[in-house]
Amino acid sequence: MQSYSTKRNGAAQLLPYLALFITWAMVHTSLIVFRDLPVFESGLVGPDSYMRMLRVTELYQNWDWFDGTIERANAPYGDTLHWTRPFDMLIMLIALPASLGMDFEGALYVAGILVSPLLQLTTGFALAWAMRPVIRPEVWFLPAVALFLQPGALAYSVAGRADHHSLLLLVFVVTAGFTLRALRNPLDARPAVWAGASAGFGIWLSVEFLLPMGVCLVALGMPWLFGEREKASQNKWFALAASLLLLAALFAERPLERFLEPSYDRVSTVQFLVVVSILLFWRAAESYENRATAGTHPVGRLLLGLFGVTAAGLLVNSIHPLFFAGPMAGVDPRIQPIWLDLVLEMRPLIPQDRDSIGSFIFFFGSGLLVVPFFARLLWQERRSSSFWTLAFIGFACLLLWLVAIKHIRFSGYAEVAFIMAFAVVFDRFLQWTHRIHSDFSRGILRGCTITVLLLGPLTVGTTLMVDKADAKDASGQSLTACDVGEVAGFLETDPRWTGSRQTILTFLDIGPELLYRTDHAVIGTPYHRNSDGIYDSYWMLTSSDPGAVRAMIVERGIGLILLCQSPAERNFFSSAGDSLYKQLSGGQIPSWAAEVALPVHLQRQARLFTVSR
């Protein structure tokens, strides 16, 4: 009897985990079925996924660890990406089981399709662990499910999206979980060490993680400012762990001859200096607490903090002044108006018209519905031992939301912070509903509340957003454009192009897929370091100076010009005057070019032109 009861209790404990897995599987299956994601046709979603898989495949083929150059981009000069290696290695690790039944390059392809959904599932379980210090264990399931419904986070987690942002969200949840544990017990340095190491790994993945790390540092610093002198030691250990992790990242990412070379868009000595400056401050603060009784006064701490921030800022500014201009500090100003300002991830989410109001509600509605209740709860707990843990969540909601309004790419971080607030509020709400004696009434109230908070904003936002003239896939690309996979297949199989590598002038967003699917080269790719490729491809197809255009085409060694004729492409190359793009689109072909007769199934999709040398 006891054995049967034990087994039944074990099964009951596994049931929520099984339900979470089923929910995750249903979400991604429905996306494939109803959003018509091209998983079973082309496999990958968005240009970044193709470029990532090209990068991973080339690493597997040559194992040149420090060489991040894509030789066939920005032809004939090549282009060096700003990405780092951890996500590449994760894809390879996921590919290992699949490689038992297929060749390793095929296994890499499968891993590229599955990596982001698997990371999202892992993030759901990590969120359940992270929230244990502030909610009851039995409430973990709903916040984890809520994560799967957040549009910003989900956009980076769909099947076929081989994008490191899905890993960044997991690292953020882990870092937040350790930070909550550090805030709960100021005498325990271990959570702070793990939080710092996690934050350092996040910066290794992308320098944008300096923002979440800053949120954690402020959350750990505020209790020190208001009297918890032990927090100085905790912050020191946080910064020390982050510094050591970044030092390891520098050795892993850079050969010795370029070890000290600064980069603002990729982990380098710039970010290492910032974190070491933070470490030096907290080491000084710890010494000050141990030696000066005045250090126990908030005014003394405030003055010390102001001095430390000023000194660290001046130190970083004197060595790397462009750091404060952000990761895009070194971007070529020529590509700012024609491309960077138009990138979907970089656009703001400020409500201005019906469509932008709908987008704002769609991304942030659930969180903003919870914030007033969370703020009230934070005020009620202002003198309790849990105040600083809740304050961390509130500060994360505020700061990350403000940044996400400016750049939509940060919406996933804001959504995770909102889910943390939702978890706390909903836990208290469930405790309050125990006052209702009727099981039916209590169930109806809970169900309606969940529906309104999680699904209401998605429904309202979708209704308000203006339908576009053409459908978009999860990466924002038009589905009315040509099938790049079919065009690539033609270029790879037609005898005219298989004998020698061709350099193709085309729209930059389809460049990565052409590089992945063919052995040919392209000029433009949608990455800020390839400024020459972006600008030159734009200039050649929008210029009205035929002589200069012809000279640039010869200099670049261009053999083919491909027009995919998507709305995004036409918008990118739109310009006043008699441009080359308008000539080719209108059938006015220059004497040095000739149109290629495409197969019947491609004739209504694309136009291809050869260039005489």
Side-chain angles (χ1 to χ4, degrees):
M1 189 67 158
Q2 185 178 3
S3 176
Y4 172 76
S5 176
T6 302
K7 291 181 179 179
R8 188 173 62 179
N9 290 336
Q13 291 177 357
L14 290 175
L15 189 60
Y17 297 96
L18 179 62
L20 184 67
F21 177 82
I22 293 174
T23 304
W24 165 81
M26 289 177 60
V27 167
H28 287 279
T29 301
S30 63
L31 282 174
I32 294 172
V33 174
F34 297 110
R35 286 294 304 276
D36 195 26
L37 293 182
V39 171
F40 300 110
E41 289 78 22
S42 60
L44 302 174
V45 178
D48 285 2
S49 300
Y50 288 101
M51 187 61 85
R52 175 67 71 172
M53 294 312 300
L54 173 65
R55 170 183 166 91
V56 174
T57 302
E58 290 190 350
L59 176 62
Y60 166 71
Q61 292 172 345
N62 56 41
W63 284 106
D64 193 347
W65 179 267
F66 293 114
D67 185 11
T69 301
I70 305 298
E71 299 291 347
R72 292 182 290 124
N74 189 32
Y77 311 112
D79 177 45
T80 302
L81 295 170
H82 62 287
W83 296 336
T84 53
R85 288 299 185 191
F87 193 70
D88 299 343
M89 295 308 299
L90 176 63
I91 293 175
M92 286 190 167
L93 288 174
I94 295 175
L96 286 176
S99 66
L100 299 176
M102 63 178 72
D103 64 277
F104 197 76
E105 289 191 18
L108 286 175
Y109 182 78
V110 173
I113 293 175
L114 297 179
V115 59
S116 288
L118 290 175
L119 283 170
Q120 188 195 44
L121 179 63
T122 307
T123 304
F125 287 113
L127 184 63
W129 163 83
M131 296 305 295
R132 285 181 184 175
V134 289
I135 64 173
R136 293 173 297 159
E138 59 266 27
V139 188
W140 71 267
F141 175 74
L142 194 59
V145 169
L147 174 70
F148 301 155
L149 301 178
Q150 302 307 305
L154 184 58
Y156 286 115
S157 303
V158 295
R161 192 78 184 266
D163 195 305
H164 64 275
H165 285 84
S166 55
L167 181 55
L168 282 170
L169 291 179
L170 171 59
V171 176
F172 174 49
V173 169
V174 172
T175 306
F178 283 121
T179 301
L180 287 171
R181 285 158 173 77
L183 288 166
R184 185 177 58 176
N185 184 2
L187 298 177
D188 189 358
R190 290 173 298 177
V193 170
W194 285 110
S198 301
F201 181 69
I203 298 172
W204 183 356
L205 282 172
S206 173
V207 295
E208 73 179 44
F209 206 82
L210 283 167
L211 176 64
M213 188 187 78
V215 172
C216 296
L217 281 169
V218 171
L220 289 169
M222 292 301 290
W224 168 77
L225 185 63
F226 286 98
E228 291 187 11
R229 60 188 303 167
E230 299 86 0
K231 276 291 184 291
S233 177
Q234 270 196 335
N235 278 281
K236 178 200 69 176
W237 288 111
F238 180 104
L240 177 61
S243 300
L244 293 176
L245 205 294
L246 287 180
L247 183 61
L250 291 180
F251 280 105
E253 292 291 338
R254 293 175 175 273
L256 292 179
E257 63 268 19
R258 293 193 290 112
F259 189 82
L260 299 178
E261 182 180 297
S263 294
Y264 298 97
D265 59 353
R266 189 173 188 264
V267 63
S268 69
T269 53
V270 177
Q271 296 77 32
F272 181 70
L273 175 64
V274 172
V275 178
V276 168
S277 300
I278 296 171
L279 171 62
L280 292 175
F281 166 74
W282 283 114
R283 180 65 187 91
E286 183 184 38
S287 298
Y288 185 60
E289 290 288 354
N290 292 335
R291 296 180 183 180
T293 56
T296 61
H297 196 278
V299 175
R301 289 194 179 93
L302 179 61
L303 292 175
L304 179 61
L306 291 175
F307 174 79
V309 170
T310 303
L314 291 174
L315 174 64
V316 174
N317 186 69
S318 64
I319 301 175
H320 301 296
L322 290 179
F323 169 77
F324 295 100
M328 298 297 179
V331 170
D332 190 329
R334 298 178 302 169
I335 67 171
Q336 189 89 25
I338 65 173
W339 172 71
L340 189 59
D341 291 343
L342 305 177
V343 174
L344 182 63
E345 290 182 337
M346 304 300 291
R347 291 182 180 177
L349 270 174
I350 301 174
Q352 296 175 333
D353 51 24
R354 174 177 170 174
D355 184 60
S356 58
I357 292 173
S359 297
F360 184 85
I361 295 174
F362 184 74
F363 282 96
F364 301 132
S366 296
L368 294 180
L369 285 176
V370 169
V371 164
F373 300 101
F374 185 81
R376 181 174 181 270
L377 179 62
L378 187 61
W379 175 257
Q380 292 174 344
E381 299 288 337
R382 64 189 183 276
R383 292 186 178 88
S384 72
S385 58
S386 62
F387 173 75
W388 289 116
T389 56
L390 299 179
F392 164 61
I393 296 174
F395 182 70
C397 287
L398 177 61
L399 180 60
L400 295 172
W401 175 68
L402 291 175
V403 176
I405 287 179
K406 185 172 178 59
H407 296 301
I408 192 174
R409 68 179 295 153
F410 290 96
S411 60
Y413 296 109
E415 289 169 347
V416 169
F418 283 144
I419 290 174
M420 292 179 178
F422 163 76
V424 175
V425 169
F426 194 73
D427 184 25
R428 302 301 176 90
F429 171 74
L430 290 180
Q431 295 180 55
W432 178 82
T433 57
H434 281 303
R435 303 176 183 178
I436 302 175
H437 298 291
S438 169
D439 292 342
F440 178 78
S441 300
R442 185 168 60 250
I444 289 293
L445 179 60
R446 290 177 175 178
C448 290
T449 302
I450 294 172
T451 302
V452 169
L453 289 178
L454 297 184
L455 299 181
L458 297 179
T459 304
V460 173
T462 303
T463 303
L464 289 176
M465 284 189 286
V466 178
D467 291 335
K468 304 300 181 182
D470 54 283
K472 296 286 196 299
D473 67 16
S475 65
Q477 291 299 301
S478 170
L479 294 176
T480 62
C482 68
D483 188 322
V484 182
E486 291 188 354
V487 174
F490 168 72
L491 293 172
E492 276 294 276
T493 57
D494 192 285
R496 289 172 290 182
W497 326 122
T498 55
S500 61
R501 177 176 294 172
Q502 300 291 318
T503 297
I504 306 171
L505 174 60
T506 189
F507 181 43
L508 70 162
D509 278 2
I510 67 174
E513 185 169 357
L514 289 175
L515 292 175
Y516 180 73
R517 294 188 179 281
T518 75
D519 193 42
H520 300 303
V522 299
I523 307 298
T525 51
Y527 306 103
H528 61 271
R529 287 193 174 189
N530 189 12
S531 56
D532 287 337
I534 293 172
Y535 183 79
D536 287 352
S537 60
Y538 169 82
W539 180 85
M540 280 185 279
L541 284 167
T542 59
S543 174
S544 56
D545 185 344
V549 170
R550 174 62 174 155
M552 177 65 74
I553 287 176
V554 171
E555 178 185 337
R556 285 276 189 173
I558 294 170
L560 295 173
I561 301 176
L562 171 64
L563 305 186
C564 202
Q565 303 184 108
S566 67
E569 177 189 278
R570 291 194 296 269
N571 182 64
F572 183 72
F573 291 121
S574 64
S575 65
D578 190 22
S579 68
L580 177 59
Y581 186 83
K582 288 184 178 179
Q583 290 177 17
L584 296 175
S585 299
Q588 302 176 24
I589 304 173
S591 59
W592 43 264
E595 186 161 8
V596 176
L598 295 173
V600 176
H601 66 286
L602 292 177
Q603 288 177 2
R604 300 179 64 87
Q605 298 186 42
R607 302 187 71 176
L608 183 66
F609 305 88
T610 59
V611 175
S612 60
R613 299 296 177 91

